[in-house]
């Protein structure tokens, strides 16, 4: 099946595009560059709409978000209409002003607003390279229409989730990072441990998380017994999850792959090979989100999956000689993923954990159990709030096991270049 996929025009096109993008022969330009009559370096105030939920950057002092520019002005009072998508850096104390455990931050002096996707803001600050460094927010408002109300409800639901999971302490912070990519309550030591253990992909929103929701929806749909209703439930669940979590490069890849598979099933066309689906997803994502192309999550997500699809069977034949059948399946998938992604990780991060295959084999199943348990106890806690604290005890026990195992693998000396 794989040999036939290698001749497929989608795979050949994806391979050609990847060569052009990453060989340096072709550069991807900004689709929505900032356009204004004012000199960028003179701009001190911008107005527009947040196009993504803020995500904490590695320095942990700021949150980063995409911002759709509409107006800008300088210190002399000159104003100009503006256009384009730029990156804004918002101080942590401003974004976290309503977060549980951080309610009394000094962010109230800089603008006490709920910084979420879909909300409009007027920021004061300065450009720092291609990003705008926010110093103060003078206004924030939601559009008074259907989509404005939807985005406001989404923002409030995300805040409610953070307040509920705050009761679970460290386990709640970890579950929040897995569920919607928010790392406000995971410390830098945890991030570093996952990275050094070669498990960064677990904290990234990826196909594993989306597949869980898709699988649950498919199970419920099959119980109903009607194929079309099953597809409707499945599509609705993954769309709602992506809308709630927010688009990230790796999650976008998983989302497109799911939609392609669903479209093939609905149309009655013979199901394509997964390598063809991955190639088609790559091409679609490059067209819709060209800014993702040079993102490390995008590169590692596709390279790991390509490695699994191309080399899993080869490694499975080797592993079956030494491992039980059930165990060889997991090991061969990890080996296939690392075959492509390890050299890329070494190039991008200048470090690589030689036991990342082993760590993935042991930690990934535990994280899957953690997510399923978290979803179950989250529903229980919403229905019976008094059980939230008791649920957190079990979740923290499971989290401690995962944390200790990750720290063990992270202690392995890294290969550096």
């Amino acid at each position: 099946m794989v040999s036939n996929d290698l001749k497929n025009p989608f795979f050949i096109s994806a391979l050609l595009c990847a060569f052009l993008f990453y060989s340096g022969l072709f550069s991807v330009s900004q689709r929505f560059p900032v356009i204004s009559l004012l000199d960028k370096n003179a701009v001190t105030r911008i107005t527009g709409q947040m196009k993504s939920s803020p995500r904490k950057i590695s320095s942990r002092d700021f949150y980063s978000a995409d911002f759709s520019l509409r107006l800008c002005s300088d210190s002399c009072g000159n104003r100009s209409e503006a256009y384009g998508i730029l990156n804004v850096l918002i101080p942590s104390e401003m974004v976290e002003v309503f977060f549980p455990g951080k309610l009394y931050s000094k962010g109230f002096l800089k603008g006490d607003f709920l910084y979420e996707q879909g909300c409009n803001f007027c920021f004061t600050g300065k450009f720092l390279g291609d990003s705008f460094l926010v110093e103060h927010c003078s206004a924030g408002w939601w559009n008074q229409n259907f989509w404005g109300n939807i985005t406001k409800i989404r923002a409030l639901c995300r805040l409610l989730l953070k307040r509920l999971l705050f009761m679970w302490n460290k386990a709640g912070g970890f579950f929040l990072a897995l569920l919607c990519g928010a790392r406000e309550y995971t410390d830098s030591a945890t991030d570093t441990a996952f990275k050094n253990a070669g498990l960064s992909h677990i904290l990234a929103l990826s196909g594993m998380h989306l597949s869980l929701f898709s699988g649950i929806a498919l199970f419920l749909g099959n119980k109903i017994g009607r194929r079309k209703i099953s597809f409707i439930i499945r599509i609705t669940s993954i769309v709602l999850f992506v809308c709630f979590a927010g688009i990230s490069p790796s999650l976008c890849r998983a989302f497109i792959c799911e939609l392609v598979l669903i479209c093939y099933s609905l149309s009655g066309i013979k199901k394509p090979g997964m390598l063809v689906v991955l190639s088609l997803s790559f091409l679609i994502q490059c067209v819709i989100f060209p800014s993702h192309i040079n993102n490390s999550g995008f590169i590692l997500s596709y390279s790991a999956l390509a490695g699994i699809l191309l080399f899993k069977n080869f490694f499975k034949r080797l592993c079956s000689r030494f491992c039980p059948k059930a165990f060889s399946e997991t090991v061969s998938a990890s080996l296939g993923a690392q075959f492509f992604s390890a050299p890329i990780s070494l190039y991008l991060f200048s470090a690589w954990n030689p036991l990342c295959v082993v760590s993935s084999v042991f930690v990934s199943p535990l994280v899957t159990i953690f997510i399923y348990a978290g979803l179950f106890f989250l529903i229980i806690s919403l229905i019976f709030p008094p059980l939230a604290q008791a649920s957190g005890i079990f979740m923290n026990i499971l989290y401690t096991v995962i944390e200790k195992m990750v720290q063990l693998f992270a202690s392995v000396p890294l290969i550096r270049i």
Side-chain angles (χ1 to χ4, degrees):
M1 185 66 178
V2 174
S3 59
N4 293 332
D5 292 346
L6 296 177
K7 302 174 184 178
N8 187 280
F10 287 129
F11 174 74
I12 296 173
S13 300
L15 198 63
L16 178 61
C17 287
F19 173 76
L20 291 174
F21 294 150
Y22 302 119
S23 65
L25 297 176
F26 181 83
S27 59
V28 181
S29 58
Q30 171 62 265
R31 172 168 287 181
F32 302 107
V34 175
I35 300 174
S36 170
L37 294 177
L38 298 178
D39 179 19
K40 184 178 74 172
N41 295 322
V43 171
T44 57
R45 176 171 294 188
I46 60 173
T47 302
Q49 187 178 78
M50 197 89 78
K51 303 302 290 184
S52 68
S53 296
R55 296 182 183 275
K56 211 161 196 177
I57 61 177
S58 56
S59 69
R60 308 190 74 82
D61 294 325
F62 294 92
Y63 282 73
S64 172
D66 293 331
F67 191 79
S68 179
L69 194 60
R70 292 176 186 167
L71 293 171
C72 62
S73 58
D74 59 21
S75 57
C76 297
N78 299 313
R79 300 179 63 191
S80 169
E81 291 188 356
Y83 173 84
I85 303 291
L86 73 154
N87 177 256
V88 290
L89 297 175
I90 312 173
S92 297
E93 61 265 23
M94 291 177 63
V95 178
E96 298 173 351
V97 72
F98 289 119
F99 291 180
K102 307 182 182 187
L103 298 179
Y104 301 100
S105 76
K106 57 184 179 181
F108 277 111
L109 302 175
K110 299 182 179 182
D112 50 336
F113 300 101
L114 184 56
Y115 297 94
E116 276 289 355
Q117 179 180 340
C119 193
N120 304 284
F121 295 102
C122 182
F123 288 133
T124 301
K126 60 183 178 181
F127 270 94
L128 191 65
D130 294 327
S131 300
F132 188 83
L133 182 63
V134 175
E135 297 173 354
H136 183 265
C137 180
S138 58
W141 68 98
W142 303 92
N143 292 332
Q144 298 301 309
N145 54 33
F146 175 78
W147 289 114
N149 292 330
I150 292 294
T151 52
K152 184 177 181 180
I153 292 172
R154 171 188 179 269
L156 293 174
C157 287
R158 284 171 63 94
L159 180 60
L160 177 64
L161 178 66
K162 290 170 185 176
R163 289 179 174 175
L164 175 60
L165 294 180
F166 183 70
M167 297 178 65
W168 291 1
N169 299 319
K170 287 187 176 182
F174 184 58
F175 185 69
L176 184 67
L178 294 174
L179 192 63
C180 59
R183 301 191 188 184
E184 292 89 322
Y185 296 97
T186 56
D187 54 32
S188 56
T190 301
D191 289 342
T192 303
F194 270 85
K195 182 179 178 181
N196 290 341
L199 299 169
S200 297
H201 61 282
I202 288 180
L203 287 179
L205 286 171
S206 62
M208 180 180 72
H209 309 75
L210 193 64
S211 296
L212 292 178
F213 282 87
S214 179
I216 294 172
L218 187 61
F219 172 78
L220 295 175
N222 289 336
K223 285 294 182 181
I224 296 174
R226 294 189 178 183
R227 188 165 174 262
K228 288 187 177 180
I229 295 178
S230 174
F231 280 121
I232 292 173
I233 294 175
R234 188 178 175 189
I235 292 173
T236 302
S237 65
I238 63 175
V239 168
L240 288 177
F241 173 70
V242 171
C243 290
F244 181 78
I247 288 291
S248 68
S250 53
L251 182 60
C252 182
R253 187 272 309 157
F255 180 59
I256 295 173
C257 284
E258 285 283 346
L259 289 184
V260 169
L261 287 171
I262 291 173
C263 288
Y264 266 96
S265 299
L266 285 174
S267 63
I269 301 174
K270 182 181 177 182
K271 185 179 178 181
M274 286 305 300
L275 191 60
V276 174
V277 173
L278 186 67
S279 302
L280 183 56
S281 171
F282 177 84
L283 295 172
I284 293 173
Q285 191 168 353
C286 287
V287 171
I288 300 176
F289 300 105
S291 59
H292 289 178
I293 291 174
N294 293 318
N295 181 275
S296 59
F298 174 90
I299 298 171
L300 291 172
S301 178
Y302 277 101
S303 62
L305 268 178
I308 291 173
L309 295 173
L310 288 171
F311 298 104
K312 179 181 176 180
N313 290 335
F314 169 75
F315 286 118
K316 189 176 180 179
R317 287 193 294 270
L318 292 178
C319 293
S320 60
R321 301 176 182 178
F322 313 102
C323 307
K325 184 178 180 180
F327 195 64
S328 65
E329 187 80 20
T330 305
V331 174
S332 59
S334 297
L335 285 171
Q338 292 298 327
F339 187 80
F340 268 11
S341 61
I344 297 174
S345 297
L346 198 58
Y347 174 77
L348 292 175
F349 308 121
S350 301
W352 177 66
N353 189 315
L355 292 183
C356 56
V357 173
V358 181
S359 64
S360 182
V361 168
F362 283 96
V363 175
S364 292
L366 286 176
V367 172
T368 302
I369 295 172
F370 183 87
I371 294 175
Y372 274 119
L375 290 173
F376 173 76
F377 284 118
L378 180 62
I379 295 171
I380 293 296
S381 299
L382 290 172
I383 299 174
F384 305 106
L387 295 178
Q389 194 166 5
S391 301
I393 295 174
F394 175 83
M395 294 299 295
N396 274 283
I397 293 173
L398 188 54
Y399 170 75
T400 302
V401 174
I402 295 172
E403 184 183 37
K404 296 300 182 183
M405 191 170 292
V406 170
Q407 290 174 351
L408 176 64
F409 286 113
S411 64
V412 175
L414 302 178
I415 296 176
R416 300 183 182 274
I417 57 171

